[in-house]
């Protein structure tokens, strides 16, 4: 067994930011445990509003954009607190060695991405900014004495008397208890639990069920974000997201007739359009017979300067290596599950309602509402980590003694191999981009039946995954309206207040 002052389940950006700020505040004996780095290596952009921006942008405008794009579901004060610290998040990363691309005049390069009224997305132009973050921060954190335990997936939370006292991890497949007065969930979101996804494979989604099982209140579980412009052809590019910043660079979305269909609802242009709007309008083109051959639409970048396209090297290089030249041909794109806005409900210090448990990054819900602004997963990761660390340091009590827990972890690879694909198939069918009541009811019944089978208790991962899917299905059933990323075909969106995204 291992003991720490703070144990963090995860090693992506939210975990790194939490650990970095804790160290700055004088907290020692911090450890990160995870099976991988989640989506961090694939972060393309991160949103910060800095005082020297040339657009008149402010944290207040950023807050308004988040609430607006999220259909006013998120808690205003929680969002305001996050966006008010945006400059502090930027400075935290800079202190830990992260650098950002700059223009020839030395100013920071800012991109205009989906859901934002101003360019505020910072980046790198030679590689993904996520790779820069990992390379810079991991080295410095480990040099500062912060432990980073790799290939250690979290298998369960340790609870006693309504309090979380750490978690169980699997080290080389064997369970090992990790104890800490403060436990931080930084384990990401739903992963591939609900079907084909842009998520990396180390995020499995069972942790949502793990938190629910431990007594944490979950929020906004019906909101799965679908990236609207994922490559559908040629084969070597399939699954690669086309950055929504391409629309901010002047890219156009076209139907099969060559029409810029988004202009009918957003005459000011495609740049900054919310993802939920892009998805909905593209779906209308497909339904009316004006979609692309594979059920998507076309992205036209042929008129964009090649040097601009090359400043997105992860995207441009993959296309070119597969014989797809974006300056010469249209790109066929469509939606794919990308990120999750639901998770553990937290307070202003990112505490859950279970003592001892905090949640940061995509492990917590309530900040994005019904639709995320692009680039906000990274911003939320940094800023929630910063605020969580300050909350933990303020609360103290990190020297509290913890008595050992029994080592409990059930594993049945045969059961898992049989049941998990079935669960994921149920979820993919019922919880896709367009939903309806009968499918959701059928999914809920099928998953409950699996959970009620005594054999399911033989494998923790299977049981936790089933509970996560059940919680999401029930939340989707309970929201009898279409709002943002939750589209109920049997309850179309009718309230004019929710059409404001068209004029963002």
């Amino acid at each position: 067994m291992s003991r720490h002052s703070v144990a963090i389940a995860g090693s992506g950006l939210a975990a790194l930011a939490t650990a970095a700020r804790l160290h700055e505040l004088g907290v020692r004996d911090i450890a990160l445990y995870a099976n991988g780095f989640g989506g961090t290596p694939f972060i393309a952009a991160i949103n910060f509003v800095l005082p020297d921006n040339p657009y008149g942008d402010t944290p207040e405008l950023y807050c308004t954009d988040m609430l607006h794009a999220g259909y006013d579901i998120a808690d205003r004060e929680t969002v305001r607190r996050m966006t008010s610290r945006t400059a502090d998040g930027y400075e935290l990363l800079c202190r830990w060695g992260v650098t950002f691309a700059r223009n020839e005049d030395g100013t920071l390069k800012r991109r205009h991405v989906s859901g934002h009224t101003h360019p505020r997305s910072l980046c790198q132009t030679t590689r993904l900014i996520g790779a820069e973050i990992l390379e810079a921060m991991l080295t410095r954190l480990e040099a500062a004495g912060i432990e980073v335990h790799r290939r250690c997936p979290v298998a369960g939370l340790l609870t006693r008397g309504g309090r979380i006292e750490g978690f169980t991890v699997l080290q080389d497949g064997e369970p090992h208890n990790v104890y800490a007065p403060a436990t931080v969930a930084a384990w990401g979101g739903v992963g591939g639990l609900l079907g084909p996804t842009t998520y990396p494979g180390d995020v499995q989604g069972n942790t949502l069920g793990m938190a629910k099982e431990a007594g944490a209140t979950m929020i906004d579980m019906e909101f799965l974000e679908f990236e609207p412009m994922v490559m559908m052809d040629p084969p070597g590019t399939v699954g690669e997201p086309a950055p929504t910043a391409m629309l901010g660079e002047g890219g156009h979305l076209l139907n099969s007739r060559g029409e810029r269909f988004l202009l009918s609802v957003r005459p000011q242009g495609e740049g900054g359009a919310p993802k939920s709007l892009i998805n909905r309008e593209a779906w209308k083109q497909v339904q009316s017979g004006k979609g692309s051959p594979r059920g998507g639409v076309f992205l036209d970048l042929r008129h964009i300067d090649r040097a601009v396209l090359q400043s997105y090297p992860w995207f441009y290089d993959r296309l070119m290596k597969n014989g797809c030249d974006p300056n010469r041909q249209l790109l066929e794109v469509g939606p794919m599950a990308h990120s999750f806005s639901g998770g553990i409900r937290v307070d202003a210090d990112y505490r859950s309602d279970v003592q001892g448990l905090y949640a940061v990054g995509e492990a917590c819900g309530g900040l994005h509402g019904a639709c995320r602004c692009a680039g906000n997963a990274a911003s939320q990761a940094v800023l929630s980590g910063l605020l969580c660390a300050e909350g933990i340091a303020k609360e103290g009590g990190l020297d509290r003694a913890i008595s050992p827990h029994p080592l409990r972890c059930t594993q049945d690879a045969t059961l898992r191999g049989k049941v998990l694909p079935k669960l994921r198939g149920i979820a993919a069918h019922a919880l896709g981009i367009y939903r309806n009541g009968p499918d959701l009811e059928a999914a809920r019944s099928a998953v409950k039946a699996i959970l009620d089978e005594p054999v399911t208790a033989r494998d923790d991962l299977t049981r936790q995954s089933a509970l996560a899917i059940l919680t999401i299905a029930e939340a989707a059933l309970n929201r009898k309206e279409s709002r943002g990323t939750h589209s109920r075909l049997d309850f179309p969106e009718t309230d004019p207040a929710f059409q404001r995204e068209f004029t963002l």
Side-chain angles (χ1 to χ4, degrees), residues 47-51 57-68 74-90 116 120 348 350 367-368 373 376 379-380 382-384 386-387:
N47 306 314
F48 291 124
V49 178
L50 305 179
D57 198 6
T58 66
E60 292 75 21
L61 286 171
Y62 184 16
C63 177
T64 298
D65 282 354
M66 281 187 65
L67 292 168
H68 189 132
D75 179 74
R76 180 175 294 272
E77 181 54 30
T78 304
V79 175
R80 186 207 62 77
R81 188 164 188 247
M82 171 189 149
T83 54
S84 71
R85 299 295 300 275
T86 179
D88 295 330
Y90 168 77
H116 299 269
R120 58 173 71 110
Y350 291 83
L367 275 163
H368 301 290
C373 293
N376 261 11
S379 306
Q380 178 199 5
V382 173
L383 296 167
S384 63
L386 180 151
L387 291 164

Side-chain angles (χ1 to χ4, degrees), residues 4 107 205 231 284 302 459:
H4 308 283
T107 59
M231 290 295 296
K284 289 179 182 178
R302 294 173 296 181
D459 187 65

Side-chain angles (χ1 to χ4, degrees), residues 159-243:
T159 63
R160 177 186 285 137
R163 186 181 185 95
I164 303 298
E165 298 188 327
F167 44 76
T168 301
V169 299
L170 296 176
Q171 290 184 328
D172 298 320
E174 295 300 318
H176 177 87
N177 281 351
V178 176
Y179 301 106
T183 297
V184 182
W187 49 45
V190 74
L193 202 58
L194 306 184
T197 179
T198 62
Y199 265 99
D202 60 286
V203 180
Q204 299 191 68
N206 64 301
T207 47
L208 295 167
M210 189 185 302
K212 176 77 172 177
E213 201 167 44
T217 299
M218 313 301 283
I219 187 171
D220 292 345
M221 296 291 282
E222 63 270 38
F223 297 120
L224 173 67
E225 190 82 34
F226 286 83
E227 186 68 16
M229 303 192 313
V230 179
M231 290 295 296
M232 304 179 79
D233 188 64
T237 69
V238 173
E240 178 70 38

Side-chain angles (χ1 to χ4, degrees), residues 47-398:
N47 306 314
F48 291 124
V49 178
L50 305 179
D52 64 347
N53 79 86
Y55 308 103
D57 198 6
T58 66
E60 292 75 21
L61 286 171
Y62 184 16
C63 177
T64 298
D65 282 354
M66 281 187 65
L67 292 168
H68 189 132
Y71 288 67
D72 293 320
I73 287 177
D75 179 74
R76 180 175 294 272
E77 181 54 30
T78 304
V79 175
R80 186 207 62 77
R81 188 164 188 247
M82 171 189 149
T83 54
S84 71
R85 299 295 300 275
T86 179
D88 295 330
Y90 168 77
E91 291 166 3
L92 174 71
L93 294 187
C94 291
R95 289 196 299 271
W96 287 84
V98 178
T99 61
F100 298 90
R102 292 183 177 271
N103 299 309
E104 291 183 2
D105 62 2
T107 59
L108 283 165
K109 184 174 183 61
R110 293 172 171 89
R111 288 172 169 159
H112 192 182
V113 297
S114 173
H116 299 269
T117 52
H118 293 78
R120 58 173 71 110
S121 194
L122 309 186
C123 59
Q124 278 282 358
T125 56
T126 56
R127 61 174 175 169
L128 287 161
I129 189 63
E132 163 79 12
I133 289 168
L134 279 178
E135 183 178 300
M137 295 191 74
L138 274 174
T139 302
R140 288 166 174 79
L141 286 168
E142 290 184 298
I146 294 167
E147 298 178 21
V148 180
H149 297 269
R150 298 167 173 83
R151 296 177 296 280
C152 289
V154 177
L157 292 169
L158 300 174
T159 63
R160 177 186 285 137
R163 186 181 185 95
I164 303 298
E165 298 188 327
F167 44 76
T168 301
V169 299
L170 296 176
Q171 290 184 328
D172 298 320
E174 295 300 318
H176 177 87
N177 281 351
V178 176
Y179 301 106
T183 297
V184 182
W187 49 45
V190 74
L193 202 58
L194 306 184
T197 179
T198 62
Y199 265 99
D202 60 286
V203 180
Q204 299 191 68
N206 64 301
T207 47
L208 295 167
M210 189 185 302
K212 176 77 172 177
E213 201 167 44
T217 299
M218 313 301 283
I219 187 171
D220 292 345
M221 296 291 282
E222 63 270 38
F223 297 120
L224 173 67
E225 190 82 34
F226 286 83
E227 186 68 16
M229 303 192 313
V230 179
M231 290 295 296
M232 304 179 79
D233 188 64
T237 69
V238 173
E240 178 70 38
T244 58
M246 291 293 185
L247 302 180
E249 301 282 10
H252 301 152
L253 286 170
L254 308 177
N255 61 22
S256 61
R257 297 180 182 176
E259 299 165 336
R260 291 175 64 185
F261 59 88
L262 209 58
L263 297 184
S264 65
V265 294
R266 200 170 191 276
Q268 68 268 45
E270 293 96 337
K275 293 180 181 181
S276 59
L277 175 60
I278 298 171
N279 280 328
R280 184 175 303 126
E281 293 305 309
W283 178 75
K284 289 179 182 178
Q285 302 306 306
V286 174
Q287 293 299 302
S288 64
K290 294 184 285 186
S292 67
R294 292 166 185 81
V297 292
F298 295 103
L299 174 63
D300 188 1
L301 304 176
R302 294 173 296 181
H303 55 289
I304 305 298
D305 187 274
R306 190 172 292 273
V308 172
L309 298 178
Q310 289 172 332
S311 70
Y312 298 79
W314 61 94
F315 177 68
Y316 178 83
D317 291 348
R318 184 168 177 183
L319 265 58
M320 294 297 289
K321 286 176 182 177
N322 286 278
C324 182
D325 186 342
N327 275 132
R328 294 180 179 275
Q329 62 197 91
L330 295 174
L331 309 181
E332 190 174 355
V333 297
M336 182 176 285
H338 179 64
S339 59
F340 194 59
S341 294
I344 299 169
R345 188 176 70 186
V346 294
D347 67 9
D349 291 321
Y350 291 83
R351 281 186 299 248
S352 77
D353 52 6
V354 181
Q355 282 191 312
L357 178 65
Y358 295 75
V360 294
E362 209 163 322
C364 67
L367 275 163
H368 301 290
C371 182
R372 287 174 180 255
C373 293
N376 261 11
S379 306
Q380 178 199 5
V382 173
L383 296 167
S384 63
L386 180 151
L387 291 164
C388 176
E390 293 177 356
I392 290 171
K394 177 177 64 178
E395 184 167 325
L398 299 179

